Amino acid sequence: MPIRHRAFRALLVAGAAAFAAVAMPAFAEEEEEGGALPAVTTVPSSPIAGDFTFAAVGDLIYLRPMLATLERQSPDMLRLLRGADVTFGNFETTALDLKTFKGSPQAESGGTWMLADPRVPADVAGMGIDIVGHANNHATDWGVEGMIDTLDLLDKAHVVHAGTGRSMTAARAPAYFDAGHGRIGLVSATTTFTPMSPAADPLGQVPGRGGANTIRSTEVGLVSQTDLAVIARLAGTKDGAPVKMKGREYRLAADAVSPMKIEYDLNSKDVAGNLLAVRQAKENGNFAVFSLHNHEPGNASKTPAGFAQGLAHQAIDAGADVYVGHGPHQLRGIEIYKGKPIFYSLGNFAMMNNSLDDVPADMYDQFGVTPGTVTTPELLAARNAKEFSDPNLYETVIATSRYHDGQLAEVRLYPVDLGVNASGARRGVPHMADAATGARILARLQALSQPYGTKIVIERGVGVIRVGASN
């Protein structure tokens, strides 16, 4: 090596050593500072400035591409969905291509093995729906494989989704939609789910499990002293122990009725995890949405389960700007809490479970029908006549909430008809309700919301809640 090159290299080495001697201690000192943090407090969030509209619809049991039909038959409805700054719906199906699907239907479904055409997520985006919850009792009808296929298709359609993932951390994490007016955070959870639906985090060498963000609960039956003694004897309960039988706990109620009243104790760890996610969604965004899928205490109930109001209030106290409930396939009341809207259930926004072509053999087994003796539409029509014949299941609203500088100003409720009197492919497809149907929907919603002190006035066929006007 030439002398001058060796000298130059020696100079570089000496320079580096000198730099390390002088500069490294400074970095080392910074790294060593550590120690106790100052008090950890919540991070303030800036509300969306000016006017901002958030539209919400209920369950999207939307199984085939319908956008072209809706463009022709319901352009006014699409204008409402597309006209809001952000529009939300609950994506209650699995979207996949059976020709390439690597999984299989699960032995237990959420009631029906929901299966949407793989083009549906793009259709939903075309309708104007920006964000969807995916935590619900149908999230894993086709296993984790079907759930992952669905999430991939939602991603390709640029629909922001929350509520399911490859682990519980992923399923519970907020998802964000960066809109023109600001950043919207979404947390999606479900209290209604099949036993194999909950996601789980990895531990040590044990891998995580894909699934839904579930909030577990204990079902509690309230019974008389006499009935409690009988159940305790049949269950073999020891003195002083809780009375339990087949997964349900029984407790004494002074005002026991028949049939017994059912209450639910929510899992405190699951609730705390979701409230933390809501808080993070608000801190890292400008507007937070909490979506809860819940069928409790049953699809026939027009009022929510006892836990719903407390959980909704907790979500808003944690930072949610709106609570959107869905699940029981029908409308439930609306409450304004601390100036924030709580929609206990927005019912169905599409109910196309009558138009499936492909269902597992389990579906026939479930109703004691032999495959090949009837068509799939015939099977589903008979099933729907038995379980989904209530006209209320085919009536809903588009709820559009208008905010100004982060404060709710009003909520507008636009009645929607899913074709309760339609048949075949038209049944379950949404369109704006006519005057008579719309009046009936809004009158029912007025009655359902009255116990919460919510006043809905009807103006030109639209329900209006003005915040500050007796709400």
Side-chain angles (χ1 to χ4, degrees), residues 53-60 80-82 84-92 124 127-136 159-163 177 184-189 287 289-293 322-326 343 346-347 349 397-400:
T53 54
F54 172 81
V57 298
D59 292 333
L60 293 163
L80 287 173
L81 298 176
R82 294 166 175 168
D85 294 307
V86 176
T87 300
F88 165 89
N90 176 54
F91 197 79
E92 194 169 13
V124 165
M127 290 167 62
I129 293 173
D130 307 293
I131 61 176
V132 296
H134 193 230
N136 55 65
V159 176
V160 170
H161 52 84
F177 176 68
I184 287 70
L186 170 65
V187 177
S188 168
F287 186 92
V289 182
F290 182 62
S291 159
L292 183 74
H293 194 74
V322 59
Y323 170 106
V324 186
H326 35 78
F343 304 102
L346 288 177
F349 188 67
V397 295
I398 298 172
T400 301

Side-chain angles (χ1 to χ4, degrees), residues 196-260:
M196 59 80 63
S197 293
D201 284 329
L203 180 62
Q205 297 185 63
V206 179
R209 180 179 62 245
N213 173 21
T214 55
I215 298 179
R216 293 164 293 179
S217 65
T218 299
E219 192 174 281
V220 179
L222 302 179
V223 297
S224 68
Q225 181 66 61
T226 301
D227 289 341
L228 187 64
V230 171
I231 298 168
R233 179 174 57 81
L234 294 174
T237 305
K238 295 180 180 179
D239 289 343
V243 179
K244 297 181 179 181
M245 182 181 282
K246 290 189 175 294
R248 177 185 288 166
E249 185 171 331
Y250 294 86
R251 296 175 188 164
L252 176 64
D255 55 348
V257 294
S258 183
M260 67 182 169

Side-chain angles (χ1 to χ4, degrees), residues 54-71:
F54 172 81
V57 298
D59 292 333
L60 293 163
I61 303 174
Y62 190 89
L63 306 183
R64 65 184 191 277
M66 286 291 296
L67 186 57
T69 302
L70 296 176
E71 293 275 17

Side-chain angles (χ1 to χ4, degrees), residues 359-393:
V359 297
D362 308 72
M363 188 78 185
Y364 286 84
D365 241 13
Q366 187 175 331
F367 296 101
V369 178
T370 303
T373 61
V374 299
T375 68
T376 305
E378 289 166 355
L379 172 70
L380 294 173
R383 182 268 184 131
N384 289 350
K386 175 178 177 284
E387 299 184 10
F388 295 103
S389 59
D390 184 350
N392 290 343
L393 308 187

